Amino acid sequence: LSLSRNLGLVTGTAVMGAVFAFAVGTSDIAAAAPAAVARGMAMTFAVAAGLVVVAVAIAVASGRRERCSA
């Protein structure tokens, strides 16, 4: 369980960093305009929120399936 949590943490960090870099739209983050950085943060949080919604939906569906079969 600990290994899967650590792998998820490392993978999620890398993916969210890539989403941020893609949304900023420049290879030099230090020289990016403040609006571009804000857009990158907004996109990163939107993707994270979408992943949370998917995780909750999976958890709810899993709970319903267990109640029906019990």
Side-chain angles (χ1 to χ4, degrees), residues 11-44:
T11 304
T13 302
V15 169
M16 288 301 154
V19 167
F20 175 77
F22 175 76
V24 169
T26 182
S27 59
D28 187 13
I29 301 296
V37 174
R39 185 176 57 248
M41 290 298 293
M43 178 65 79
T44 303

Side-chain angles (χ1 to χ4, degrees), residues 36-61:
V37 174
R39 185 176 57 248
M41 290 298 293
M43 178 65 79
T44 303
F45 277 99
V47 169
L51 290 173
V52 167
V53 169
V54 169
V56 168
I58 290 171
V60 168

Side-chain angles (χ1 to χ4, degrees), residues 3-19 51:
L3 176 63
S4 65
R5 285 182 181 174
N6 284 332
L7 287 175
L9 175 68
V10 170
T11 304
T13 302
V15 169
M16 288 301 154
V19 167
L51 290 173

Side-chain angles (χ1 to χ4, degrees), residues 16 18 34 42 48 50 67 69:
M16 288 301 154
R67 271 189 274 136
S69 64

